[in-house]
Amino acid sequence: MSAQLLEVPRLVRPESLVRIQQVEKTYAGRQGPVRAVASASLEVGRGEFVSLLGPSGCGKSTLLMIIAGLETPTSGSILLDGSPVTGPRRDIGIIFQDATLLPWKSALENVLFPVRILRLPLRKYRERAHELLAMVGLTGFENKKPSELSGGMRQRVAICRALIHDPSILLMDEPFSALDAITRDQMNAALADIMEKTGKTVIFVTHSIREAAFLSDRVVVMGGRPSQVILDLAMPFPRPRRFDIEDGAEFNAICRRLRLTIEEAHGGPAQSGTAARANSVE
Ligand SMILES: Nc1ncnc2c1ncn2[C@@H]1O[C@H](COP(=O)(O)OP(=O)(O)OP(=O)(O)O)[C@@H](O)[C@H]1O
Ligand SMILES: [Mg+2]
């Protein structure tokens, strides 16, 4: 799989916010160097929602951490809004698989935590925190501790926390993978709604093909050994999106194509019956 398949119509691309240019990452592993990313080049436009899919270990989290300035690339560069990313930045919000809330603080205090760290005016941001919690349906839960909230609620608090200081981009690494299927669907609908309301740029890592296809403007597949971008596919569904697009033939054809690309990157189908499984989640 050598050629990159860039299938995004160039004319409709929004202004570029993130430029990932020939990023390579080799870790100094205990048993010798581990080449996590061979050469990743990708642009993400302002307001775009781009998902990264690919086999486990292909370097998705590594690339996300490099974009966040939490890992240094071995070579290549990242530009955010025209300036190089050389370390953690205020204009980036990050959400991980686990909500990682402070257990002794309330939902409201957790949302306000970055405001305290960044020494921003608490009074002004308290109002914004209430607005964000209302936007994700958590009015009335402001004073609950994380242990009193469900997994989906905790992840919604984490989304509010990532949005509180109004970053220009949200980086999400498998944020819903620990949730049950129904809660995950609800979170997908909530996230699509939040993104439509806030117009944030998002780079979203997931193993769920359907989640990626439903949420994204573009789905990027990483793969190969060592990995690179092997497919960059625009999702042609109008917004706002409703779950019934998932019943359509086009949605399912796209999911099938993404699955086959990932399987190919993995070294072929895991087992027989690929076509029959092509529409299933994960
Ligand atoms: N700190 C590290 N030191 C050494 N090797 C690492 C380190 N972090 C990741 N790796 C290796 O780099 C490769 C890519 O890891 P990464 O976590 O980015 O993959 P991923 O695509 O996010 O996988 P998954 O889908 O399982 O989360 C793997 O081979 C992993 O073992
Ligand atoms: Mg990962």
Side-chain angles (χ1 to χ4, degrees), residues 138-185:
L138 287 179
T139 299
F141 292 87
E142 296 89 343
N143 296 321
K144 301 276 186 208
K145 300 270 166 52
S147 60
E148 300 172 284
L149 302 173
S150 71
M153 286 171 167
R154 284 198 289 272
Q155 213 41 306
R156 278 183 266 169
V157 173
I159 293 173
C160 295
R161 182 183 55 188
L163 287 171
I164 187 76
H165 60 296
D166 203 22
S168 54
I169 183 162
L170 270 189
L171 306 177
M172 307 179 87
D173 196 353
E174 299 192 48
F176 307 141
S177 59
L179 304 177
D180 66 83
I182 301 288
T183 311
R184 190 169 183 156
D185 278 355

Side-chain angles (χ1 to χ4, degrees), residues 27-30 34-37 54-63 71 173-174 205 207:
Y27 289 106
R30 273 198 228 157
V34 179
R35 203 164 174 217
V37 180
S56 184
C58 75
K60 303 177 297 295
S61 297
T62 297
L63 189 59
E71 281 285 357
D173 196 353
E174 299 192 48
V205 171
H207 278 285

